[in-house]
Amino acid sequence: MALNIGFSQNFDLTTNLYETYDNYKESSLNKRRIKHNELQPLLTKHGVNNAFIVKKVGESIEGRALNLISIGSGKTNVLLWSQMHGDEPTATQAIFDILNFLASDDFKEEKKQILENLTIHFLPMLNPDGAERFQRRNLLGVDINRDAVRLQSPESKTLKYVRDSLNADFGFNLHDQSTYYNAERTEKPATISYLAPAFNYEKDISEKRGNAMRIIVFMNKIIQKYAPGQVGRYNDDFEPRAFGDNIQKWGTSTILIESGGYGNDVEKKEIRKLNYVSILAAIYTIARENYKTIAIEEYEKIPENDRKLFDLKIVKATYPLMGQDYVLDLGINRVEVDKKGNNDFWYSSRIIDQGDLSTYYGYEKLNAEGFTIRQGKIHPNILTNTRELKDLNSFDLLKQGYTYVRVTNIPVGMLESPISLNMLGSTYELPDLQLKVGINPTFILEKDGKPHYAVINGFLIDLFSGKSDFKNAMIYR
Ligand SMILES: [Zn+2]
């Protein structure tokens, strides 16, 4: 009974948190490629609030400050750290949403309970040098999450020092994972994945680790409400060099949260919101200690993570090769390529797998049974420069089976074709289409000799309805 009461009260809060989220969302952080300098005005803003203590606790290799933001007066210490991998920013953004929530005058009763029982410490963007380059590793080229014992990176030393000096009771280890993870044997993306890391090879469950499992069971129930079936559980093999495993070993109940993928959410805004809601609800349940009645067995029932998703899965297309027809499934991913400065990106898509892909899934799917894959044609008119692109009706050209246009003068710095035709330089020799893993997926799908779909740089375009999520095509000089 106690369990049910605890859950329902927490769920009321959760619903309110979800519905009022926009009031607290930190609007200055509005895309994934965030940088250290964008966080500084926010730290200054919270630093002048007496409720918060903002303290510099270390520096990255390039000298960027690592700051700890603390709030509350309770005896239970909760430590949250994010983005030890520079290209994993979702939880950093959610932390600043949570800080706005804590700084507000709303939810007074709940916040009183939280701040009287807990002292909460946030260490956002642990790897700012990596974030600057939108890369996983730090400037030393090491994975900070394999440096928990050797402690060669200043960022690793800072995390260890902060954990030890607080002797934190609870730790939230906040990451992003590939969007291609799914909940095992389902087509649902693992929008959030959890792990209560093991602290030894035997994977023993101590009281501390058990409490991490209980909190995860609690958070899973919340996510299920907003993203049903979209939670995965990480394999708990012990990794003796990782921070999560060691922090668990050092006596902090440690919860790993990985933000994965969610359909049509390239900038992970919904996932960030789910982080905000579920982390705040978890903090509330830690403050009230009503997680203690949750059964650990529920943890094992969360489906495991798998990695079987593609951005686009095309099923049973007919593929003619040397006079024979074959049936192929294609698994296509849209790979992000960063622009200079790592503030933005374009797409260079790839065929990741082909053949019988019946055990795989796609964010977007096309049943291509009865459709034949054909190489797209090069438009006979050669353009002098890219300004002439705007005079082309690329949709009409796709319907006629053209997927390429030749342009004599393509500007040197131009990375992507803005229209739904790949651009070719005047002397570029287009190879015959031969489908294989690693190539850029550009072709026409036709039926009875008539183009029905175009795939341009991995983007599917329906040539009858015009429906497409097309972003950019390729340039071959
Ligand atoms: Zn990570």
Side-chain angles (χ1 to χ4, degrees):
M1 203 53 205
L3 170 72
N4 290 332
I5 290 167
F7 264 116
S8 68
Q9 284 181 3
N10 281 307
F11 274 138
D12 290 345
L13 173 67
T14 303
T15 310
N16 291 338
L17 288 173
Y18 190 88
E19 282 165 6
T20 59
Y21 170 71
D22 284 348
N23 300 343
Y24 312 104
K25 183 172 71 183
E26 180 47 60
S27 56
S28 69
L29 306 175
N30 56 11
K31 55 177 187 183
R32 283 174 294 147
R33 284 161 178 77
I34 52 171
K35 311 291 182 205
H36 183 261
N37 64 13
E38 295 173 71
L39 306 186
Q40 303 322 301
L42 306 176
L43 292 169
T44 305
K45 173 180 87 177
H46 293 303
V48 299
N49 180 341
N50 284 332
F52 292 100
I53 297 169
V54 179
K55 198 169 111 188
K56 181 176 165 183
V57 287
E59 263 182 19
S60 69
I61 293 175
E62 268 184 323
R64 295 188 173 86
L66 305 174
N67 289 291
L68 188 71
I69 305 116
S70 304
I71 184 169
S73 54
K75 64 176 194 319
T76 300
N77 281 293
V78 180
L79 172 62
L80 304 94
W81 62 96
S82 72
Q83 215 171 344
M84 69 163 66
H85 296 134
D87 56 353
E88 300 180 4
T90 305
T92 300
Q93 299 174 315
I95 283 177
F96 283 93
D97 303 335
I98 291 172
L99 293 176
N100 286 344
F101 169 84
L102 292 172
S104 76
D105 289 327
D106 315 330
F107 293 90
K108 279 203 167 67
E109 249 330 288
E110 290 87 354
K111 276 200 289 212
K112 185 163 175 277
Q113 284 198 50
I114 289 172
L115 299 177
E116 280 179 3
N117 291 299
L118 310 180
T119 307
I120 314 170
H121 311 269
F122 301 90
L123 181 42
M125 196 184 272
L126 188 64
N127 179 5
D129 300 349
E132 203 63 23
R133 298 160 176 83
F134 204 61
Q135 67 181 30
R136 178 180 179 84
R137 291 170 183 249
N138 70 359
L139 207 63
L140 183 61
V142 311
D143 180 341
I144 293 173
N145 211 20
R146 297 292 177 268
D147 196 34
V149 176
R150 189 170 287 181
L151 294 173
Q152 282 303 292
S153 305
E155 302 89 353
S156 311
K157 288 190 182 106
T158 299
L159 178 57
K160 171 87 163 81
Y161 159 77
V162 169
R163 204 252 30 126
D164 287 354
S165 58
L166 300 171
N167 197 17
D169 300 284
F170 288 87
F172 288 80
N173 184 12
L174 306 172
H175 292 253
D176 281 70
Q177 66 183 357
S178 162
T179 55
Y180 303 122
Y181 281 102
N182 61 305
E184 195 179 31
R185 287 192 296 278
T186 78
E187 63 175 357
K188 305 267 184 145
T191 299
I192 298 281
S193 291
Y194 292 112
L195 173 69
F199 57 87
N200 60 13
Y201 285 108
E202 292 73 29
K203 306 182 185 184
D204 290 336
I205 301 174
S206 61
E207 194 194 333
K208 295 270 185 186
R209 187 174 177 221
N211 284 341
M213 290 173 167
R214 291 182 177 98
I215 301 292
I216 288 171
V217 170
F218 174 79
M219 297 176 88
N220 173 50
K221 289 214 180 203
I222 291 169
I223 302 295
Q224 293 297 341
K225 187 173 164 183
Y226 299 104
Q230 294 178 212
V231 177
R233 180 168 50 95
Y234 253 95
N235 175 311
D236 70 345
D237 286 348
F238 179 57
E239 168 49 75
R241 302 167 299 164
F243 263 104
D245 306 53
N246 279 287
I247 289 181
Q248 193 88 272
K249 188 163 97 183
W250 299 329
T252 296
S253 288
T254 305
I255 295 144
L256 170 75
I257 304 179
E258 298 269 359
S259 294
Y262 189 93
N264 301 312
D265 188 18
V266 171
E267 291 299 337
K268 295 198 175 193
K269 290 179 179 176
E270 180 65 16
I271 310 175
R272 164 182 174 180
K273 181 173 174 179
L274 293 175
N275 268 266
Y276 165 89
V277 171
S278 58
I279 291 171
L280 267 176
I283 285 173
Y284 187 49
T285 200
I286 291 171
R288 290 152 49 91
E289 296 192 348
N290 55 6
Y291 64 87
K292 289 184 174 173
T293 53
I294 295 171
I296 287 179
E297 296 70 47
E298 296 293 312
Y299 176 79
E300 304 284 341
K301 291 182 190 161
I302 301 172
E304 286 198 41
N305 254 7
D306 203 350
R307 193 175 175 149
K308 290 227 157 40
L309 266 172
F310 297 114
D311 284 320
L312 172 62
K313 183 186 169 188
I314 295 176
V315 179
K316 290 187 179 167
T318 300
Y319 174 51
L321 180 66
M322 298 178 76
Q324 281 279 344
D325 280 352
Y326 301 87
V327 169
L328 282 185
D329 302 338
L330 296 176
I332 290 168
N333 285 352
R334 296 163 192 149
V335 181
E336 293 181 4
V337 183
D338 274 37
K339 295 182 180 174
K340 197 163 179 265
N342 306 95
N343 289 302
D344 199 2
F345 64 95
W346 55 286
Y347 290 102
S348 175
S349 300
R350 294 286 173 263
I351 294 179
I352 302 297
D353 202 353
Q354 62 187 49
D356 176 358
L357 302 181
S358 52
T359 57
Y360 286 79
Y361 310 96
Y363 280 97
E364 192 180 4
K365 284 153 290 196
L366 176 71
N367 181 356
E369 225 169 331
F371 291 88
T372 301
I373 293 175
R374 301 277 183 214
Q375 179 156 28
K377 299 178 289 183
I378 306 173
H379 191 256
N381 295 354
I382 298 173
L383 306 185
T384 333
N385 60 58
T386 50
R387 284 190 301 280
E388 295 172 21
L389 289 172
K390 68 176 183 335
D391 300 328
L392 292 180
N393 185 333
S394 51
F395 189 63
D396 269 1
L397 296 178
L398 290 174
K399 281 199 202 175
Q400 297 167 46
Y402 296 109
T403 55
Y404 298 93
V405 59
R406 230 178 249 290
V407 182
T408 314
N409 295 303
I410 303 173
V412 176
M414 196 169 185
L415 300 167
E416 51 184 315
S417 169
I419 65 165
S420 54
L421 298 169
N422 289 339
M423 283 160 57
L424 305 179
S426 50
T427 56
Y428 183 83
E429 281 189 50
L430 185 68
D432 286 340
L433 177 68
Q434 186 172 357
L435 293 181
K436 56 182 174 186
V437 168
I439 66 159
N440 181 269
T442 290
F443 49 82
I444 295 285
L445 282 159
E446 64 173 38
K447 198 177 214 170
D448 305 326
K450 218 174 158 208
H452 275 236
Y453 296 96
V455 173
I456 304 291
N457 187 27
F459 293 97
L460 181 67
I461 302 170
D462 183 326
L463 298 177
F464 283 81
S465 69
K467 188 177 165 287
S468 172
D469 294 323
F470 175 80
K471 292 291 186 316
N472 70 272
M474 299 291 290
I475 297 176
Y476 300 100
R477 286 182 168 83

